[in-house]
Amino acid sequence: MRTRASIIVAAALLALTACSSGGEDGGSASDSGPAGAEPTVAVPKAHEGDDLEAAAAVYTSAYFAADTDTAYGMLSARCREEIGADAYAAVVEKAKADHGPDHPATDVRAEVSGKLGRVSYKVQGLPEFDQRSQPWALEDGGWKYDAC
């Protein structure tokens, strides 16, 4: 039992060490905060927009599937002030009725600058909905659609 616990602790320490490595050259991330603070991990430049790309793909799928809860929940606070949940539900229901539910985002590319991002992507089967430099905002730890 003691050996198993030691192995688990060693594996956890190894995982934490691997997670704290930063940069592409294998250097370690710096932790400039006080003891007990979460380490600062640098995201490689090539992957800065990964979360934003995923958010845009989820939003696009939810929009055409008329998944109002998901899509409306991904609107920025500014956009939710401009359109209420019921009006937005009517918009996504119409999109689903007019075009069908299966139109994922493809060729998604994101550019991130701090808490703002721009996403370009194609909507499969609906080129009239393709987007170029669509604005997104980082709010409450998640990317929110901000093109209202």
Side-chain angles (χ1 to χ4, degrees):
M1 185 68 162
R2 182 172 266 172
T3 303
R4 183 171 181 217
S6 296
I7 292 171
I8 292 171
V9 169
L13 289 174
L14 181 62
L16 287 173
T17 302
C19 288
S20 67
S21 66
E24 293 176 8
D25 62 358
S28 63
S30 64
D31 180 6
S32 58
E38 287 189 36
T40 303
V41 178
V43 175
K45 187 85 171 152
H47 295 284
E48 283 183 340
D50 288 358
D51 288 345
L52 178 51
E53 289 174 2
V58 168
Y59 175 79
T60 302
S61 292
Y63 182 90
F64 287 105
D67 180 352
T68 305
D69 291 339
T70 299
Y72 191 76
M74 294 183 77
L75 295 182
S76 67
R78 185 177 71 83
C79 289
R80 286 191 312 272
E81 285 179 14
E82 289 189 22
I83 185 168
D86 291 339
Y88 186 80
V91 169
V92 296
E93 287 292 338
K94 180 162 178 32
K96 180 181 177 183
D98 290 350
H99 305 289
D102 296 319
H103 299 286
T106 63
D107 301 324
V108 183
R109 293 175 316 282
E111 294 177 15
V112 174
S113 179
K115 292 186 175 192
L116 301 176
R118 297 266 176 194
V119 185
S120 298
Y121 58 92
K122 296 178 180 179
V123 177
Q124 186 175 20
L126 298 172
E128 66 271 28
F129 286 95
D130 292 354
Q131 297 295 317
R132 184 175 167 104
S133 295
Q134 183 181 66
W136 285 70
L138 188 61
E139 296 178 355
D140 300 324
W143 285 105
K144 304 295 183 173
Y145 173 89
D146 197 42
C148 49

